[in-house]
Amino acid sequence: MNKILLLEDDLSLINGLTFAFQKAGFELDIARTIKEADTAWTEGKYDLLILDVSLPDGSGFEICRKVRQTSKVPIIFLTVSDDCHDWNIYDCQQL
């Protein structure tokens, strides 16, 4: 596992995660919107996706649903929100 797609809109999290993953030897592509993540997924091959749940243009669950149509790549969801009662975490597993 060497190549990671990070979908995150918070610059401080992007900077911290970029530093940590690159120091550990991982190649990291950054997407800050659903549109950017969709393009990156279409154009790249990833060993792991790390998806923010709440984004300005949607949710990481949208990318998860698209990815699960063609791939079983591991996905980790990342959020700073403590209010998760509205999430349907099984949504991506149903595909």
Side-chain angles (χ1 to χ4, degrees), residues 4-18 20-21 28-31 34 48-56 58-61 64 74-84 87 89 92:
I4 299 171
L5 174 60
L6 172 64
L7 172 57
E8 174 59 61
D9 63 324
D10 184 293
L11 286 176
S12 62
L13 284 174
I14 291 170
N15 291 336
L17 290 169
T18 298
F21 282 121
L28 189 68
D29 287 345
I30 309 289
I34 297 294
L48 174 68
L49 305 184
I50 302 174
L51 308 177
D52 188 4
V53 173
S54 301
L55 297 154
S59 167
F61 291 116
C64 177
I75 296 174
I76 297 172
F77 285 97
L78 178 70
T79 187
V80 296
S81 174
D82 60 359
D83 183 22
C84 61
W87 302 346
I89 61 172
C92 292

Side-chain angles (χ1 to χ4, degrees), residues 65-90:
R65 281 190 290 274
K66 178 176 181 162
V67 167
R68 283 293 173 253
Q69 292 175 3
T70 60
S71 175
K72 293 293 184 186
V73 64
I75 296 174
I76 297 172
F77 285 97
L78 178 70
T79 187
V80 296
S81 174
D82 60 359
D83 183 22
C84 61
H85 68 276
D86 290 333
W87 302 346
N88 182 355
I89 61 172
Y90 302 104

